[in-house]
Amino acid sequence: MQGTLYTGGTIYTMEPGVSVVEAVLVENGRIQAVGKRAELAKDAEKVVDLEGKTMLPAFIDSHSHLMGVANGMLQVDLAEASSFAEVKERIEHFIRENQVPKGKWVLAKGINHGNLKEKHLPEKAFLDGITAEHPLLIQHTSGHSGVLNSMGLAELGITETTTDPEGGRIDFGTGLLEENALIQNMDKFPLPTGAELVSAFEKAQHLYASKGITTVQEGMFVEQIKGIYAMLYEQNRLWLDVVAYMDLKNSPELIDAFPSCKGEYDHHLKVGGYKVLLDGSPQSKTAWVTKPYTDGTKGYPMLSDEELEPLVEQAVREQQQLLMHANGDAAADQYLRVYEKVMKKWGPGIRPVLIHGQIMRHDQVKELARLGIKPSFFLAHVYHWGDVHMENLGMERARRISPVRDAEEKQIPFTLHQDSPVIPPDMMETVWCAVNRKTKNGVVLGGEQKLSAYEALQAITIHAAKQYGEEQEKGTIAPGKRADFVVLDKDPMTAEPNDIRNIQVMMTVKDGQTIYQV
C-alpha cells in the first residue's frame, strides 16, 4: 500500500464510542484504516505531521446558497457598515473602482439595520442621493427584503399603483420590497457575464474550503441560475461537493435539469430534492408567528395550506427530499400539519427537513421527533440578531431562538448552518455560538439551550451527513469513508468556551487532496 498517514495530533473520529485515534491512513481518496501509528506506518509512503493540531471530519454545510455567495463576490459588501454615511461611501467607492457605466445595476448585499447608527434601513430618497444614474438595490442581510432607489423601482416597473403580491409588500414611498415582492423581481436583475461568474464561483469555493467545509448546498435552485450551473458542470468547475434543492413552487421541472446528478454526484453536483419557502425572517418581523411581535404584527405566510399540500404531496409521492423554510412558529405549525396529512396518505417522505426553525415551541420539537422531520437551525442568530430578537419578540420567546437542547434531548439529529450569504460560512463561529449563546451585547440568550462543543461539532459533521443521506460516505473518520478532513490550530473540546470562535482552520482535505492550507 502506498498510503498517506495523518498523525501527530489529536484526531477526533466523531464515530460513536470512538473519540480519539493516533493515526489515519488514506489511499486513493478513501480512509483505509484508523488506529495506532505504529501499526499503520508500515503501509504509509507519506506522513502528514499534524504538529499537535486537531483533526476532525471535514465540515458539512447543511444549508446555504452557493450562488448567492458567488454573486456576492461581485456586489457591494455592506455587512460591516455602521452608518448611512458608510453605506454611501462603500457604494460610491464600488462604482468608482469598477467604473460602473451609467444605467447598469449596482447591487449591494448584507446590510443589517441593527448594526447601523440610525437603527433602520436607508430609504429611497437617501439612495437617490448616492446615485441617480444607476439602478440601485441594497439587500438586507436576511435576504428577505431590500430597498431600491427611484431608478431601480422604474427599471422593475414598480409605481405608486403597483399592488402588493401575495406573501409580499411594496412600500413605494420608501423603496422597500419585502418577501415575494423582492423574490418575484430577482430574475429582473441582470446576471454577470459567464467569465465573471466562473471566477466568482472559484472564489466562493475557496471561501468555504478556508472554513473547513467540503460539502456545500445550493439551497434554492431557481430557473435563472440553471445556465451558470450548466456551464460549471460542463467545464468541471466545481471541486467542492454541491447539493442542489430545486424551487418546487415555481420550477418543479428543474428536478430533471441534470439527469446524471439526480440523487448522486456527477462533476461534484448532486440534485438533492426540493425546497419551499413558507415565511420570512424574524429580524425583519416577516417570519409568521402565532403570538404578535412587540409592535403587534405577526408576519405572514407565503402559501395557504391548500397551496402547500399539493407541493408536499408531490415531493413525498416522488420520494424527493423536501427542505421547508419555516422561521416562525406559525409556519412550523403549517409544515407539521400539512406534512402529517400528506404522510397519512402517501407514507413518509425521504429525510424531510425544516430549515431555520428559529421560533419553535417545545411542543413543536416533540412533533418533529414524532414525524421524523429533522431541523437545521440557524443558531448564529443568537449572536448576530439576538439583541434585535429580544426587542421584537420579548425575552421569553427570544431565549428559545434555535432550541437545540430541546432537540438534543429528543435525540433528533439536528444540524447547524449559516444560510450564507446571510452571514459568512464560518463553522467555528457557529460552534462558539452554540456553546456560549451570547448576543453582540453580551447577553446570554437561553443559557438552558447551550450545547457542548462535541454536540455542536456533531451537528456539522455526522448529523449533516445524515441530513444528506451520505452518512456511509462522510461525517466521521472511519475505514471506507471519503478522506475529507479539517485541521484546526486548537482543540475545540478543551478550549475555553469564549475562545472557540478564534480557532483557525489550518488545512482542509477533500478526497485525500489538500484544498486549503495556511
Side-chain angles (χ1 to χ4, degrees):
M1 186 179 291
Q2 303 297 310
T4 298
L5 191 70
Y6 293 82
T7 190
T10 303
I11 302 174
Y12 290 101
T13 68
M14 304 305 290
E15 279 279 302
V18 182
S19 55
V20 180
V21 295
E22 286 185 5
V24 178
L25 184 65
V26 171
E27 187 177 25
N28 297 325
R30 293 275 176 179
I31 300 167
Q32 299 299 318
V34 300
K36 299 288 187 181
R37 173 174 181 162
E39 295 173 0
L40 302 183
K42 61 183 182 298
D43 292 318
E45 181 182 45
K46 176 184 175 183
V47 175
V48 175
D49 186 357
L50 298 175
E51 298 178 340
K53 299 178 180 66
T54 298
M55 189 168 94
L56 291 151
F59 301 146
I60 297 172
D61 162 42
S62 58
H63 180 65
S64 72
H65 306 269
L66 178 58
M67 177 69 188
V69 175
N71 210 28
M73 301 286 179
L74 305 171
Q75 298 178 4
V76 187
D77 187 357
L78 300 179
E80 300 302 321
S82 59
S83 67
F84 284 7
E86 191 173 348
V87 169
K88 184 175 188 290
E89 180 185 340
R90 288 183 180 221
I91 294 172
E92 289 177 340
H93 176 78
F94 180 89
I95 292 171
R96 285 195 309 270
E97 287 296 303
N98 294 278
Q99 299 180 341
V100 182
K102 294 179 181 179
K104 184 175 180 180
W105 275 95
V106 175
L107 305 178
K109 61 164 186 169
I111 192 167
N112 183 355
H113 62 280
N115 290 344
L116 300 175
K117 180 177 67 176
E118 293 81 359
K119 296 303 178 187
H120 63 86
L121 291 176
E123 297 183 355
K124 177 177 67 176
F126 180 80
L127 300 191
D128 287 344
I130 298 176
T131 177
E133 298 178 335
H134 306 86
L136 170 63
L137 166 71
I138 61 170
Q139 194 167 1
H140 190 267
T141 185
S142 68
H144 289 263
S145 62
V147 182
L148 295 111
N149 66 354
S150 295
M151 191 172 182
L153 291 168
E155 285 285 320
L156 298 181
I158 295 173
T159 69
E160 289 181 276
T161 61
T162 303
T163 58
D164 293 343
E166 185 177 354
R169 185 171 76 92
I170 298 170
D171 186 331
F172 183 79
T174 64
L176 176 69
L177 272 61
E178 286 184 347
E179 301 302 340
N180 280 342
L182 178 64
I183 293 168
Q184 292 176 7
N185 279 292
M186 292 303 287
D187 62 341
K188 297 179 183 178
F189 300 122
L191 288 174
T193 65
E196 287 173 331
L197 279 171
V198 167
S199 174
F201 265 88
E202 184 71 13
K203 292 176 182 176
Q205 289 179 91
H206 275 291
L207 173 61
Y208 280 93
S210 74
K211 300 300 182 181
I213 301 166
T214 58
T215 301
V216 181
Q217 187 177 116
E218 186 58 75
M220 179 58 111
F221 195 108
V222 295
E223 180 67 35
Q224 291 74 26
I225 67 175
K226 183 173 73 172
I228 179 62
Y229 266 97
M231 180 168 61
L232 294 167
Y233 173 85
E234 290 162 4
Q235 296 181 13
N236 201 20
R237 295 283 187 156
L238 297 174
W239 41 273
L240 298 180
D241 288 343
V242 180
V243 189
Y245 289 87
M246 305 314 194
D247 178 5
L248 177 54
K249 180 179 181 290
N250 300 304
S251 303
E253 71 283 350
L254 285 172
I255 202 76
D256 297 315
F258 298 88
S260 65
C261 303
K262 285 183 73 172
E264 60 184 6
Y265 291 104
D266 184 21
H267 289 45
H268 289 287
L269 178 64
K270 180 173 85 168
V271 176
Y274 289 122
K275 170 75 176 295
V276 175
L277 293 170
L278 293 186
D279 70 343
S281 67
Q283 65 269 43
S284 298
K285 293 182 287 188
T286 54
W288 184 26
V289 294
T290 55
K291 177 183 174 183
Y293 294 99
T294 51
D295 66 358
T297 62
K298 286 189 172 184
Y300 39 81
M302 290 193 173
L303 298 168
S304 66
D305 282 18
E306 292 71 27
E307 292 170 317
L308 178 60
E309 185 176 336
L311 298 177
V312 177
E313 188 170 304
Q314 179 178 343
V316 174
R317 189 177 65 248
E318 294 177 8
Q319 291 289 282
Q320 292 291 340
Q321 187 179 27
L322 180 62
L323 272 57
M324 194 71 70
H325 168 117
N327 259 313
D329 63 332
D333 276 339
Q334 184 182 42
Y335 186 22
L336 293 166
R337 180 172 63 243
V338 172
Y339 179 74
E340 181 169 24
K341 183 178 179 180
V342 171
M343 189 176 69
K344 287 178 178 177
K345 180 178 179 181
W346 291 96
I350 298 177
R351 302 183 313 281
V353 178
L354 188 149
I355 297 292
H356 304 323
Q358 289 299 296
I359 311 168
M360 292 195 70
R361 307 184 307 269
H362 186 74
D363 64 290
Q364 291 177 320
V365 178
K366 288 184 183 178
E367 286 296 284
L368 290 178
R370 184 176 68 83
L371 295 173
I373 299 174
K374 294 178 175 61
S376 183
F377 293 113
F378 191 172
L379 193 146
H381 259 256
V382 172
Y383 173 70
H384 288 275
W385 297 283
D387 299 302
V388 173
H389 294 329
M390 287 188 287
E391 180 181 336
N392 291 343
L393 295 165
M395 179 58 83
E396 181 182 350
R397 278 187 295 173
R399 68 188 299 165
R400 284 192 56 78
I401 288 290
S402 293
V404 288
R405 175 54 58 191
D406 286 3
E408 179 70 24
E409 289 175 355
K410 292 296 178 185
Q411 298 182 319
I412 302 172
F414 62 88
T415 61
L416 301 174
H417 64 262
Q418 294 82 38
D419 201 16
S420 303
V422 175
I423 62 172
D426 189 340
M427 289 293 189
M428 291 314 298
E429 181 191 69
T430 290
V431 172
W432 173 83
C433 289
V435 172
N436 293 280
R437 289 189 71 98
K438 287 184 179 179
T439 72
K440 283 189 174 181
N441 288 338
V443 178
V444 175
L445 192 58
E448 68 278 3
Q449 295 291 336
K450 287 181 181 180
L451 297 176
S452 69
Y454 190 85
E455 289 167 335
L457 288 164
Q458 281 183 306
I460 59 175
T461 55
I462 183 55
H463 290 177
K466 288 178 179 177
Q467 179 181 303
Y468 288 126
E470 297 181 18
E471 62 269 29
Q472 301 305 315
E473 291 281 300
K474 302 173 182 175
T476 68
I477 297 176
K481 290 192 176 184
R482 293 166 69 164
D484 293 356
F485 311 129
V486 59
V487 177
L488 306 174
D489 67 341
K490 296 182 180 65
D491 185 344
M493 314 296 185
T494 60
E496 285 295 319
N498 278 325
D499 292 338
I500 290 174
R501 71 182 307 180
N502 299 319
I503 294 175
Q504 298 295 308
V505 172
M506 306 303 292
M507 181 167 62
T508 305
V509 177
K510 176 85 179 76
D511 295 322
Q513 300 297 313
T514 300
I515 59 172
Y516 171 80
Q517 190 165 16
V518 174

Short mmCIF file of all heavy atoms in Angstrom, two decimals, residues 358-393:
data_model
loop_
_atom_site.label_atom_id
_atom_site.label_comp_id
_atom_site.label_asym_id
_atom_site.label_seq_id
_atom_site.Cartn_x
_atom_site.Cartn_y
_atom_site.Cartn_z
N GLN A 358 -36.44 29.07 13.80
CA GLN A 358 -35.96 29.99 14.83
C GLN A 358 -36.88 30.09 16.03
O GLN A 358 -36.44 30.07 17.17
CB GLN A 358 -35.76 31.38 14.22
CG GLN A 358 -34.59 31.48 13.27
CD GLN A 358 -33.28 31.17 13.96
OE1 GLN A 358 -32.86 31.88 14.86
NE2 GLN A 358 -32.64 30.09 13.57
N ILE A 359 -38.18 30.20 15.77
CA ILE A 359 -39.12 30.48 16.86
C ILE A 359 -40.00 29.24 17.07
O ILE A 359 -41.19 29.25 16.78
CB ILE A 359 -39.97 31.73 16.56
CG1 ILE A 359 -39.06 32.89 16.11
CG2 ILE A 359 -40.77 32.16 17.79
CD1 ILE A 359 -39.80 34.06 15.53
N MET A 360 -39.39 28.17 17.53
CA MET A 360 -40.11 26.92 17.71
C MET A 360 -40.48 26.70 19.17
O MET A 360 -39.65 26.87 20.06
CB MET A 360 -39.29 25.74 17.19
CG MET A 360 -39.10 25.75 15.69
SD MET A 360 -38.51 24.14 15.12
CE MET A 360 -39.97 23.16 15.37
N ARG A 361 -41.71 26.29 19.38
CA ARG A 361 -42.17 25.96 20.73
C ARG A 361 -41.72 24.55 21.11
O ARG A 361 -41.39 23.73 20.24
CB ARG A 361 -43.69 26.05 20.79
CG ARG A 361 -44.27 27.38 20.31
CD ARG A 361 -45.78 27.42 20.50
NE ARG A 361 -46.47 26.29 19.91
CZ ARG A 361 -46.96 26.25 18.67
NH1 ARG A 361 -46.81 27.30 17.87
NH2 ARG A 361 -47.58 25.18 18.21
N HIS A 362 -41.75 24.28 22.41
CA HIS A 362 -41.34 22.96 22.90
C HIS A 362 -42.21 21.86 22.32
O HIS A 362 -41.72 20.78 21.95
CB HIS A 362 -41.40 22.94 24.43
CG HIS A 362 -40.87 21.69 25.04
ND1 HIS A 362 -39.52 21.40 25.10
CD2 HIS A 362 -41.50 20.62 25.61
CE1 HIS A 362 -39.34 20.23 25.68
NE2 HIS A 362 -40.52 19.73 26.00
N ASP A 363 -43.51 22.10 22.20
CA ASP A 363 -44.41 21.07 21.66
C ASP A 363 -44.10 20.78 20.19
O ASP A 363 -44.31 19.65 19.72
CB ASP A 363 -45.88 21.49 21.81
CG ASP A 363 -46.21 22.74 21.01
OD1 ASP A 363 -45.75 23.83 21.38
OD2 ASP A 363 -46.96 22.62 20.02
N GLN A 364 -43.60 21.77 19.47
CA GLN A 364 -43.27 21.56 18.06
C GLN A 364 -42.03 20.67 17.90
O GLN A 364 -41.95 19.88 16.97
CB GLN A 364 -43.06 22.89 17.36
CG GLN A 364 -44.34 23.70 17.22
CD GLN A 364 -44.10 25.05 16.58
OE1 GLN A 364 -43.11 25.72 16.87
NE2 GLN A 364 -45.00 25.47 15.72
N VAL A 365 -41.07 20.83 18.82
CA VAL A 365 -39.89 19.96 18.78
C VAL A 365 -40.32 18.51 18.99
O VAL A 365 -39.82 17.58 18.31
CB VAL A 365 -38.85 20.39 19.83
CG1 VAL A 365 -37.66 19.43 19.82
CG2 VAL A 365 -38.38 21.81 19.56
N LYS A 366 -41.26 18.27 19.89
CA LYS A 366 -41.80 16.92 20.09
C LYS A 366 -42.41 16.38 18.80
O LYS A 366 -42.24 15.21 18.45
CB LYS A 366 -42.87 16.92 21.18
CG LYS A 366 -42.38 17.10 22.60
CD LYS A 366 -43.56 16.98 23.54
CE LYS A 366 -43.17 17.23 24.98
NZ LYS A 366 -44.36 17.17 25.86
N GLU A 367 -43.14 17.25 18.08
CA GLU A 367 -43.77 16.83 16.84
C GLU A 367 -42.74 16.52 15.75
O GLU A 367 -42.92 15.59 14.96
CB GLU A 367 -44.74 17.92 16.35
CG GLU A 367 -46.02 18.01 17.15
CD GLU A 367 -46.84 16.73 17.03
OE1 GLU A 367 -47.47 16.52 15.97
OE2 GLU A 367 -46.83 15.92 17.99
N LEU A 368 -41.67 17.29 15.71
CA LEU A 368 -40.59 16.98 14.76
C LEU A 368 -40.08 15.56 14.98
O LEU A 368 -39.88 14.80 14.03
CB LEU A 368 -39.43 17.96 14.92
CG LEU A 368 -39.63 19.41 14.48
CD1 LEU A 368 -38.37 20.21 14.78
CD2 LEU A 368 -39.97 19.49 13.00
N ALA A 369 -39.86 15.22 16.26
CA ALA A 369 -39.36 13.88 16.59
C ALA A 369 -40.37 12.82 16.17
O ALA A 369 -40.01 11.78 15.60
CB ALA A 369 -39.07 13.79 18.08
N ARG A 370 -41.65 13.06 16.45
CA ARG A 370 -42.69 12.07 16.12
C ARG A 370 -42.83 11.85 14.62
O ARG A 370 -42.99 10.71 14.16
CB ARG A 370 -44.03 12.53 16.70
CG ARG A 370 -45.17 11.53 16.50
CD ARG A 370 -46.44 12.00 17.18
NE ARG A 370 -47.01 13.17 16.56
CZ ARG A 370 -47.82 13.12 15.48
NH1 ARG A 370 -48.14 11.95 14.93
NH2 ARG A 370 -48.33 14.23 14.98
N LEU A 371 -42.71 12.93 13.84
CA LEU A 371 -42.92 12.84 12.40
C LEU A 371 -41.63 12.54 11.63
O LEU A 371 -41.68 12.33 10.42
CB LEU A 371 -43.54 14.14 11.88
CG LEU A 371 -44.95 14.46 12.39
CD1 LEU A 371 -45.37 15.85 11.95
CD2 LEU A 371 -45.94 13.41 11.92
N GLY A 372 -40.50 12.53 12.30
CA GLY A 372 -39.24 12.24 11.63
C GLY A 372 -38.71 13.39 10.78
O GLY A 372 -37.96 13.16 9.82
N ILE A 373 -39.08 14.61 11.13
CA ILE A 373 -38.57 15.79 10.43
C ILE A 373 -37.34 16.30 11.16
O ILE A 373 -37.37 16.53 12.36
CB ILE A 373 -39.64 16.89 10.36
CG1 ILE A 373 -40.88 16.40 9.59
CG2 ILE A 373 -39.08 18.15 9.70
CD1 ILE A 373 -42.03 17.38 9.60
N LYS A 374 -36.26 16.48 10.42
CA LYS A 374 -35.01 16.95 11.03
C LYS A 374 -34.90 18.47 10.90
O LYS A 374 -35.03 19.00 9.80
CB LYS A 374 -33.81 16.28 10.38
CG LYS A 374 -33.74 14.78 10.63
CD LYS A 374 -32.56 14.15 9.94
CE LYS A 374 -32.43 12.67 10.29
NZ LYS A 374 -33.62 11.88 9.90
N PRO A 375 -34.64 19.17 11.99
CA PRO A 375 -34.44 20.62 11.89
C PRO A 375 -32.99 20.97 11.59
O PRO A 375 -32.07 20.31 12.07
CB PRO A 375 -34.84 21.12 13.29
CG PRO A 375 -34.49 19.98 14.19
CD PRO A 375 -34.66 18.71 13.39
N SER A 376 -32.81 22.02 10.80
CA SER A 376 -31.48 22.60 10.59
C SER A 376 -31.55 24.03 11.11
O SER A 376 -32.22 24.89 10.52
CB SER A 376 -31.09 22.57 9.12
OG SER A 376 -29.77 23.07 8.95
N PHE A 377 -30.89 24.28 12.23
CA PHE A 377 -31.03 25.55 12.93
C PHE A 377 -29.99 26.58 12.49
O PHE A 377 -28.82 26.26 12.34
CB PHE A 377 -30.87 25.34 14.44
CG PHE A 377 -31.98 24.54 15.08
CD1 PHE A 377 -31.73 23.28 15.59
CD2 PHE A 377 -33.27 25.06 15.18
CE1 PHE A 377 -32.73 22.54 16.19
CE2 PHE A 377 -34.28 24.33 15.77
CZ PHE A 377 -34.02 23.07 16.29
N PHE A 378 -30.45 27.81 12.35
CA PHE A 378 -29.56 28.96 12.08
C PHE A 378 -29.21 29.55 13.45
O PHE A 378 -29.64 30.65 13.81
CB PHE A 378 -30.30 29.96 11.20
CG PHE A 378 -29.46 31.07 10.63
CD1 PHE A 378 -29.99 31.92 9.68
CD2 PHE A 378 -28.13 31.27 11.02
CE1 PHE A 378 -29.24 32.96 9.14
CE2 PHE A 378 -27.37 32.29 10.48
CZ PHE A 378 -27.93 33.15 9.53
N LEU A 379 -28.39 28.83 14.22
CA LEU A 379 -28.16 29.16 15.61
C LEU A 379 -27.36 30.45 15.79
O LEU A 379 -27.47 31.11 16.82
CB LEU A 379 -27.46 27.99 16.31
CG LEU A 379 -27.41 28.03 17.83
CD1 LEU A 379 -27.52 26.63 18.42
CD2 LEU A 379 -26.13 28.69 18.34
N ALA A 380 -26.58 30.82 14.79
CA ALA A 380 -25.79 32.05 14.91
C ALA A 380 -26.67 33.29 15.00
O ALA A 380 -26.17 34.38 15.29
CB ALA A 380 -24.82 32.16 13.75
N HIS A 381 -27.98 33.14 14.78
CA HIS A 381 -28.92 34.24 15.04
C HIS A 381 -28.75 34.78 16.46
O HIS A 381 -28.93 35.96 16.71
CB HIS A 381 -30.36 33.74 14.89
CG HIS A 381 -31.00 34.11 13.60
ND1 HIS A 381 -31.94 35.10 13.50
CD2 HIS A 381 -30.85 33.61 12.35
CE1 HIS A 381 -32.34 35.20 12.25
NE2 HIS A 381 -31.71 34.31 11.53
N VAL A 382 -28.43 33.88 17.41
CA VAL A 382 -28.29 34.30 18.81
C VAL A 382 -27.30 35.43 18.92
O VAL A 382 -27.53 36.42 19.63
CB VAL A 382 -27.87 33.11 19.69
CG1 VAL A 382 -27.53 33.58 21.10
CG2 VAL A 382 -28.97 32.05 19.73
N TYR A 383 -26.17 35.31 18.24
CA TYR A 383 -25.15 36.37 18.28
C TYR A 383 -25.52 37.54 17.37
O TYR A 383 -25.53 38.70 17.80
CB TYR A 383 -23.79 35.81 17.89
CG TYR A 383 -22.73 36.87 17.75
CD1 TYR A 383 -22.24 37.54 18.87
CD2 TYR A 383 -22.22 37.22 16.50
CE1 TYR A 383 -21.29 38.54 18.74
CE2 TYR A 383 -21.26 38.22 16.37
CZ TYR A 383 -20.80 38.87 17.49
OH TYR A 383 -19.85 39.86 17.37
N HIS A 384 -25.83 37.25 16.12
CA HIS A 384 -25.97 38.31 15.13
C HIS A 384 -27.24 39.14 15.32
O HIS A 384 -27.23 40.34 15.03
CB HIS A 384 -25.92 37.72 13.72
CG HIS A 384 -24.56 37.25 13.32
ND1 HIS A 384 -23.62 38.08 12.79
CD2 HIS A 384 -23.98 36.03 13.42
CE1 HIS A 384 -22.50 37.40 12.56
NE2 HIS A 384 -22.70 36.15 12.94
N TRP A 385 -28.34 38.53 15.78
CA TRP A 385 -29.60 39.27 15.91
C TRP A 385 -30.30 39.02 17.24
O TRP A 385 -31.45 39.39 17.42
CB TRP A 385 -30.56 38.91 14.76
CG TRP A 385 -29.99 39.30 13.44
CD1 TRP A 385 -29.94 40.55 12.90
CD2 TRP A 385 -29.38 38.43 12.49
NE1 TRP A 385 -29.32 40.52 11.67
CE2 TRP A 385 -28.97 39.22 11.39
CE3 TRP A 385 -29.15 37.05 12.43
CZ2 TRP A 385 -28.34 38.70 10.27
CZ3 TRP A 385 -28.52 36.52 11.32
CH2 TRP A 385 -28.11 37.33 10.25
N GLY A 386 -29.60 38.43 18.19
CA GLY A 386 -30.22 38.14 19.47
C GLY A 386 -30.78 39.37 20.16
O GLY A 386 -31.88 39.34 20.74
N ASP A 387 -30.04 40.47 20.12
CA ASP A 387 -30.50 41.70 20.76
C ASP A 387 -31.75 42.24 20.06
O ASP A 387 -32.67 42.75 20.71
CB ASP A 387 -29.38 42.75 20.75
CG ASP A 387 -28.15 42.28 21.50
OD1 ASP A 387 -28.28 41.96 22.70
OD2 ASP A 387 -27.07 42.20 20.89
N VAL A 388 -31.81 42.10 18.74
CA VAL A 388 -32.99 42.51 17.98
C VAL A 388 -34.17 41.61 18.33
O VAL A 388 -35.31 42.08 18.49
CB VAL A 388 -32.70 42.46 16.46
CG1 VAL A 388 -33.97 42.71 15.65
CG2 VAL A 388 -31.63 43.46 16.09
N HIS A 389 -33.91 40.30 18.47
CA HIS A 389 -35.00 39.37 18.81
C HIS A 389 -35.59 39.68 20.18
O HIS A 389 -36.81 39.55 20.38
CB HIS A 389 -34.49 37.93 18.76
CG HIS A 389 -34.10 37.47 17.39
ND1 HIS A 389 -34.70 37.94 16.25
CD2 HIS A 389 -33.17 36.57 16.97
CE1 HIS A 389 -34.16 37.36 15.19
NE2 HIS A 389 -33.23 36.53 15.60
N MET A 390 -34.75 40.05 21.14
CA MET A 390 -35.27 40.41 22.45
C MET A 390 -36.22 41.60 22.34
O MET A 390 -37.26 41.66 23.00
CB MET A 390 -34.12 40.73 23.42
CG MET A 390 -33.36 39.49 23.88
SD MET A 390 -32.16 39.87 25.17
CE MET A 390 -30.88 40.72 24.26
N GLU A 391 -35.86 42.54 21.49
CA GLU A 391 -36.70 43.73 21.29
C GLU A 391 -37.99 43.38 20.56
O GLU A 391 -39.07 43.86 20.90
CB GLU A 391 -35.90 44.77 20.50
CG GLU A 391 -36.64 46.06 20.23
CD GLU A 391 -35.80 47.04 19.43
OE1 GLU A 391 -34.56 46.95 19.48
OE2 GLU A 391 -36.39 47.90 18.75
N ASN A 392 -37.89 42.54 19.53
CA ASN A 392 -39.05 42.23 18.69
C ASN A 392 -39.97 41.17 19.27
O ASN A 392 -41.18 41.19 19.04
CB ASN A 392 -38.59 41.75 17.30
CG ASN A 392 -37.95 42.85 16.48
OD1 ASN A 392 -38.11 44.04 16.77
ND2 ASN A 392 -37.23 42.47 15.44
N LEU A 393 -39.39 40.22 20.01
CA LEU A 393 -40.14 39.06 20.48
C LEU A 393 -40.40 39.06 21.98
O LEU A 393 -41.29 38.35 22.46
CB LEU A 393 -39.40 37.77 20.13
CG LEU A 393 -39.24 37.45 18.65
CD1 LEU A 393 -38.18 36.38 18.45
CD2 LEU A 393 -40.56 37.00 18.03
#
